[in-house]
Amino acid sequence: MDDHDLPAEPLSAGFTRQLLNAGQPGQIVVFVFTDITVETVNTWMSSLRATVDTWPPGQPYLALYDLSNVQHSIREYQYAFDQMREFRQEYPDLVTRIACILQNSLIGELGAQALQLFA
């Protein structure tokens, strides 16, 4: 961790958020998920909006989403994708670069294919 990295914040029982290179060009937000329940997704979306609303002007939103330790179901993914779709409609001009770490499983593969919709 360098001088501009902030410690990871547990924002719910289901995930943490950490800013790397905070306030600097190339700032990156890292979300590490341990579950993807409706409650976790709702808290994440609120956190995501707050993060984007305070993002350095003129900088692309750079993020890493680690979902590698989450036990998923299709229903949970669907709810998360519906929320992401609404978010993209709220922020249509937001320039993003997002990396996702997914499980090496069928659900992970389906998630990777669905994420292509937001690329």
Side-chain angles (χ1 to χ4, degrees):
M1 186 155 71
D2 79 21
D3 293 342
H4 299 290
D5 295 349
L6 300 179
E9 309 169 75
L11 297 178
S12 81
F15 75 99
T16 61
R17 176 183 65 184
Q18 181 178 17
L19 286 173
L20 304 179
N21 206 30
Q24 305 298 309
Q27 172 177 288
I28 299 171
V29 64
V30 178
F31 290 101
V32 178
F33 293 84
T34 55
D35 72 45
I36 191 169
T37 64
V38 170
E39 179 184 342
T40 297
V41 171
N42 290 341
T43 304
W44 167 55
M45 293 309 296
S46 294
S47 171
L48 181 57
R49 286 178 178 89
T51 300
V52 167
D53 288 344
T54 60
W55 202 255
Q59 296 293 316
Y61 171 76
L62 304 176
L64 171 66
Y65 299 155
D66 183 349
L67 298 155
S68 62
N69 292 313
V70 176
Q71 298 301 316
H72 312 289
S73 77
I74 298 295
R75 180 178 299 136
E76 292 163 335
Y77 260 126
Q78 184 61 50
Y79 182 74
F81 288 130
D82 289 346
Q83 296 305 305
M84 289 169 45
R85 196 172 294 110
E86 286 181 25
F87 174 82
R88 290 301 295 165
Q89 291 172 352
E90 292 174 35
Y91 296 88
D93 298 325
L94 181 66
V95 176
T96 63
R97 299 294 181 266
I98 300 172
C100 293
I101 303 171
L102 302 170
Q103 290 180 344
N104 185 13
S105 66
L106 176 60
I107 295 295
E109 280 296 315
L110 292 172
Q113 290 176 16
L115 285 171
Q116 292 298 317
L117 300 172
F118 302 100

